[in-house]
Amino acid sequence: MNKITDIQAIAFDLDGTLVDSLPGLSLAIQRMLTDLSLPTVSAEQVKNWIGNGVDIMIKRTFNCVGAPDSLFEQAKLLFNRHYDQVINDGTKVFPNVISTLEILKKNNYPMALVTNKPAQFLPALLKELKLDSYFSLILGGGDVVKLKPHPTPLYQVMATFGLYHDQLLFIGDSKNDISAAKNAQCLTVGLTYGYNYGESIATSEPDYIFDHFEQILTLLPCPKAEPKK
């Protein structure tokens, strides 16, 4: 595979790309529903609702269980409380993520994190997962006026790093990620192991598709190291 020599920085999605957050998200949703005396849902159902931020995930849950909209604000407060309690134990870094980020860091690629997860959860979570040292820019829900699939977060990355659109590579697992990058005219990598609402990432037509995170190194000139197995 030919190397992409014009890329000057890399931006990443979080849930389903760098970390498996399903256990914590599903547990918080289930506890929220219990508190509201509503029917529960399975982790597999929650998996298909991840990607557009907490508000949309709760609304999708409400649609599934037939909950009235009048309970939404209470539900959001309950979810945030429960998720804050389980987020560390319920979120795990995917294989080879840290070793690959370390290689990119050693090769002086500026890196950004662009996620729809509420920004309030990010500092403690990234520190707990030992991911906090890799990103010079972190954008979560509430940090930008529009969430993915809108290109605004990626415009902010390009402005912060002083890049043209063809100098930024965006890596994600869902159609929201690919659409945001395409709307910003950035190159895209779609990862097959994420959530993406139960759909194949191939349907979003990213520029590159990989089954394993460390395969992104095949695109970039990274002479200083090879990823650990």
Side-chain angles (χ1 to χ4, degrees):
M1 181 177 294
N2 293 332
K3 304 289 184 181
I4 306 174
T5 56
D6 292 336
I7 295 301
Q8 301 297 311
I10 308 167
F12 300 89
D13 172 53
L14 181 63
D15 295 344
T17 297
L18 302 179
V19 303
D20 181 7
S21 55
L22 176 60
L25 290 170
S26 60
L27 184 56
I29 286 286
Q30 290 161 351
R31 290 182 178 180
M32 176 197 79
L33 292 171
T34 297
D35 288 348
L36 295 171
S37 300
L38 293 170
T40 194
V41 294
S42 68
E44 194 61 29
Q45 287 173 295
V46 175
K47 181 179 181 179
N48 292 328
W49 301 332
I50 297 172
N52 292 95
V54 168
D55 286 11
I56 300 300
M57 183 172 61
I58 293 175
K59 288 177 181 178
R60 288 168 176 157
T61 303
F62 270 31
N63 288 338
C64 179
V65 302
D69 291 341
S70 59
L71 292 178
F72 176 80
E73 292 302 328
Q74 183 183 358
K76 186 173 179 180
L77 289 173
L78 289 168
F79 172 85
N80 286 341
R81 187 183 75 193
H82 289 306
Y83 193 46
D84 190 54
Q85 293 170 349
V86 303
I87 186 171
N88 288 343
D89 292 335
T91 310
K92 305 297 180 186
V93 181
F94 282 119
N96 291 323
V97 164
I98 289 181
S99 61
T100 301
L101 293 178
E102 186 66 28
I103 290 170
L104 295 172
K105 182 178 179 180
K106 288 179 179 178
N107 282 273
N108 300 315
Y109 283 102
M111 290 182 279
L113 184 67
V114 179
T115 174
N116 288 348
K117 184 186 289 294
Q120 70 195 69
F121 294 118
L122 296 176
L125 177 64
L126 295 175
K127 184 176 181 180
E128 174 70 19
L129 298 175
K130 296 181 172 57
L131 292 171
D132 55 316
S133 65
Y134 294 105
F135 304 106
S136 50
L137 177 63
I138 297 172
L139 299 176
D143 290 331
V144 290
V145 295
K146 295 284 187 179
L147 298 177
K148 297 174 297 181
H150 199 277
T152 291
L154 295 183
Y155 290 150
Q156 188 163 334
V157 173
M158 288 185 278
T160 300
F161 289 164
L163 303 175
Y164 295 109
H165 64 86
D166 57 355
Q167 295 175 313
L168 179 67
L169 176 66
F170 188 56
I171 297 168
D173 72 297
S174 78
K175 58 186 179 183
N176 288 333
D177 300 319
I178 305 307
S179 293
K182 285 187 173 183
N183 290 335
Q185 297 182 288
C186 299
L187 282 173
T188 58
V189 169
L191 298 168
T192 62
Y193 57 74
Y195 306 140
N196 199 32
Y197 315 103
E199 302 173 11
S200 168
I201 193 65
T203 61
S204 297
E205 299 182 344
D207 295 295
Y208 303 92
I209 299 176
F210 293 133
D211 296 325
H212 306 286
F213 186 81
E214 68 272 18
Q215 289 178 286
I216 64 177
L217 296 175
T218 64
L219 296 176
L220 303 164
C222 291
K224 294 187 179 179
E226 291 298 328
K228 297 177 182 179
K229 300 298 184 182

